[in-house]
Amino acid sequence: MSNTVIEIKNLSKRYQLGKISTRMLSRDISSALARLTNKVDPHSPLFNNNIKTDTKGGRIWALKDINLNIQQGEILGVIGGNGAGKSTLLKILSRITSPTSGTVKIRGRIASLLEVGTGFHPELTGKENIYLNGAILGMTKEEINQKLEQIIEFSGIINYIDTPVKRYSSGMRVRLAFSVAAHLDPEILLIDEVLAVGDADFQRKCLGKMENISNSGRTILFVSHNMSAIKQLCQKAIVLNNGHIEYENNAVSAVNYYLGKNQNKIITEYKWDYNNAPGNSSRLKIIGVKICPTVGELITVDSGISFSFTCITKLKNSTVNLYFTILSNEGTMLIRTDYPIIDPEELVPGTYKVTAHLPPHILNQGIYNLNVWYDLSHSENLGISKGKISFEVGSTHSDDSDQEAQGILNPVFQFEREYTDQNQ
C-alpha cells in the first residue's frame, strides 16, 4: 500500500484581476460575457491595465501545473517570495478555495492554520473558541474534552482562557490557534507563516510539537520565511516562483538555492514615495533607509556599516522611537536596538534622520536582512517595514579563509596567554 497521503496532479489556480463590479449592470453583464468568450470588454476596468499575465482577459495564474506527492510522516517546507503561490496552495488543500484545473487526492483529516485566529469568534472566550475550532476541524465534544487541559496548558494563556478573544493580542491568538490545531490529532497539518507572530519561547515549543507530530506518523506542510526553521524542521522543501515549482530537493539544498537566487536583487538604498510609504500620513511615514560602509566604498567585514533612517512625522511633543533589527539571511535575529529620533519636548512636525554606526568586525561576510519600525512611547506602532530590506557584507582582501567554516559574527577578540611552570 502506498504511503502517499497527498497526491497533486497538474494543479492550477487562475484568478481574475481587477474590480468585481463596475456598479453598472449592463457593463457587468458585458464583462462576464467577455470573460466567457476570452475577449476583453473595452469598458471593463481590466482594459488597458498594466499587469502582465499569460492569459487573456486580465487573468493570472497563481498556481500552474503543480505536481507533487507528499508521503506520510513527511514535513515539507514550502518556500518562495510574496505572491509565489504558497498560500494559494495551502488554501486549495484546505478546501477553502477550489482549483481551476487538476486534481488533489488527500488521505486523512486536515487541520489548517493559515491565518492568525481563523475560525475564532471574537465575542466568545478562549475556551469556547476551542470547542468551536475543534468542531470546525471535525472533532466531537468528547474528543475535545479529552484534549482540553493539554490545549490550554500548551497555549500558555490559562489566565485569559475565559476572556473574550476580541481582547487577545495577535500573539495570544496564534498561541491558542496553534495549540488547538496541533492537539486535535489531524493526520495532516498545514501551517502558513503564523509562527512569525509568537515569541521566541513559543516558537521553540511549536517546532518541538511539530517534530513530535511528524514522528507519530502524521504529515506537515510548513510555509515560512524563516529559513532556519525550514532547515531545522523539514526533511524536504519546494521553492515556488510565479506559481511553478522551481526547485525541489532536501530542505538544506532548497534553502541554499532560494537564498542564492535572490542575491543579485540586493540594493543598499531604499526610498518610498510619500503616498506609498510605510506608516500613517496623519502621524508618521518611513520614507528612506540607506546602508553604506563607514569607511571605503564597499561594505566589508572591516569597513563598519552606517544605517540611516529617514521619516516624516506630524506629531509634536511626543516620544517617537526608531527600532531596527538585523537578521541573518535565514531569519535568525542577531541585533535589536532602539533610539529616540529627538528629545520629546523638541519634537515638531517635519523630517528626521537618524544614523546608527556599527563597528567593524561584528558581522561576518554574508547577506543580512533589516526590519525597521517606529513607535510612540514604546507602546504604539507608527509604521513598519519588514522583510523588504537586505544588505551584503563582503570579505576583506586579507580574509581568504573558508567561509563555510566561519560563523555569522566576526568580532575581534583580545587574547591573553600565560605559561604556568609545570613544576609548581
Side-chain angles (χ1 to χ4, degrees):
M1 182 176 177
S2 173
N3 289 326
T4 301
V5 294
I6 300 178
E7 184 179 353
I8 301 172
K9 289 186 177 180
N10 300 319
L11 181 67
S12 298
K13 177 64 179 179
R14 184 181 63 196
Y15 288 108
Q16 183 77 34
L17 298 178
K19 297 179 181 178
I20 297 175
S21 172
T22 64
R23 297 188 177 181
M24 293 182 64
L25 180 60
S26 60
R27 290 188 181 178
D28 288 344
I29 294 174
S30 177
S31 295
L33 291 174
R35 288 195 295 271
L36 290 174
T37 58
N38 284 330
K39 295 180 180 179
V40 179
D41 174 13
H43 299 294
S44 168
L46 298 172
F47 190 68
N48 288 332
N49 68 68
N50 294 320
I51 301 176
K52 296 181 179 180
T53 69
D54 60 356
T55 57
K56 298 179 180 179
R59 300 168 190 162
I60 189 169
W61 293 95
L63 294 174
K64 186 66 174 178
D65 298 327
I66 300 293
N67 291 280
L68 188 64
N69 290 326
I70 303 169
Q71 306 303 311
Q72 180 179 350
E74 186 173 63
I75 304 182
L76 177 71
V78 183
I79 308 170
N82 294 329
K86 306 184 299 297
S87 296
T88 300
L89 175 61
L90 265 59
K91 287 178 180 178
I92 291 175
L93 296 179
S94 302
R95 300 183 180 90
I96 293 174
T97 187
S98 58
T100 303
S101 61
T103 61
V104 177
K105 294 182 180 179
I106 299 174
R107 300 178 179 91
R109 181 168 53 193
I110 285 184
S112 58
L113 201 54
L114 306 187
E115 294 181 16
V116 176
T118 300
F120 282 178
H121 193 295
E123 299 296 335
L124 299 180
T125 67
K127 183 182 293 185
E128 291 167 338
N129 270 292
I130 291 175
Y131 284 95
L132 174 63
N133 220 231
I136 291 172
L137 295 174
M139 307 300 294
T140 66
K141 184 177 180 179
E142 289 71 23
E143 289 175 306
I144 298 172
N145 285 337
Q146 294 175 3
K147 296 282 187 177
L148 183 61
E149 290 187 6
Q150 297 177 38
I151 293 170
I152 296 173
E153 181 180 357
F154 186 90
S155 70
I157 59 169
I158 187 171
N159 294 333
Y160 307 96
I161 202 63
D162 293 315
T163 300
V165 164
K166 66 181 179 181
R167 306 190 190 282
Y168 283 15
S169 67
S170 58
M172 292 167 66
R173 286 189 178 213
V174 77
R175 280 174 169 267
L176 188 60
F178 181 88
S179 189
V180 172
H183 282 84
L184 294 185
D185 297 329
E187 282 82 11
I188 303 167
L189 181 60
L190 311 179
I191 302 175
D192 186 3
E193 198 54 71
V194 295
L195 298 187
V197 181
D199 57 34
D201 179 63
F202 187 68
Q203 289 182 32
R204 285 192 292 269
K205 289 175 64 176
C206 291
L207 291 173
K209 184 65 177 178
M210 285 189 281
E211 288 179 338
N212 292 337
I213 291 173
S214 177
N215 291 336
S216 66
R218 288 174 282 170
T219 304
I220 298 174
L221 269 73
F222 182 41
V223 172
S224 180
H225 290 288
N226 187 325
M227 298 298 110
S228 292
I230 291 287
K231 291 202 294 187
Q232 174 186 339
L233 185 65
C234 305
Q235 302 100 351
K236 180 181 175 183
I238 60 172
V239 179
L240 288 179
N241 184 31
N242 293 326
H244 298 269
I245 295 181
E246 187 175 78
Y247 188 84
E248 180 178 353
N249 208 327
N250 64 71
V252 173
S253 297
V255 167
N256 291 340
Y257 171 84
Y258 174 67
L259 296 179
K261 71 186 284 289
N262 289 308
Q263 289 186 17
N264 60 352
K265 299 179 181 179
I266 295 174
I267 58 178
T268 56
E269 186 169 7
Y270 299 78
K271 294 181 179 179
W272 290 272
D273 174 78
Y274 183 81
N275 292 330
N276 299 319
N280 186 303
S281 58
S282 65
R283 308 180 80 185
L284 184 143
K285 286 270 193 173
I286 305 172
I287 61 168
V289 176
K290 185 176 182 180
I291 307 165
C292 61
T294 304
V295 177
E297 297 181 356
L298 297 175
I299 299 176
T300 63
V301 173
D302 59 0
S303 70
I305 310 173
S306 296
F307 303 88
S308 297
F309 308 93
T310 305
C311 72
I312 296 177
T313 183
K314 294 184 179 180
L315 298 171
K316 60 181 179 179
N317 299 330
S318 302
T319 303
V320 177
N321 300 287
L322 162 73
Y323 287 78
F324 70 92
T325 59
I326 298 175
L327 301 92
S328 72
N329 205 20
E330 297 176 341
T332 303
M333 187 171 72
L334 306 174
I335 298 170
R336 179 184 185 274
T337 188
D338 64 276
Y339 192 77
I341 66 171
I342 197 171
D343 291 338
E345 61 273 11
E346 298 178 10
L347 181 68
V348 295
T351 302
Y352 292 87
K353 180 179 178 181
V354 174
T355 300
H357 302 284
L358 187 68
H361 292 282
I362 300 297
L363 298 180
N364 212 337
Q365 63 186 91
I367 298 171
Y368 300 87
N369 299 307
L370 194 71
N371 291 336
V372 182
W373 70 99
Y374 291 79
D375 81 0
L376 181 63
S377 301
H378 299 287
S379 61
E380 185 177 352
N381 183 20
L382 296 174
I384 184 170
S385 177
K386 184 177 182 180
K388 299 179 181 179
I389 304 173
S390 299
F391 65 97
E392 184 171 9
V393 177
S395 63
T396 63
H397 293 296
S398 60
D399 186 5
D400 56 359
S401 57
D402 181 10
Q403 206 269 333
E404 292 294 325
Q406 300 176 4
I408 296 175
L409 304 181
N410 190 12
V412 175
F413 287 92
Q414 299 295 325
F415 289 94
E416 296 181 1
R417 56 188 173 188
E418 61 180 88
Y419 172 73
T420 302
D421 190 339
Q422 61 180 352
N423 294 324
Q424 288 184 351

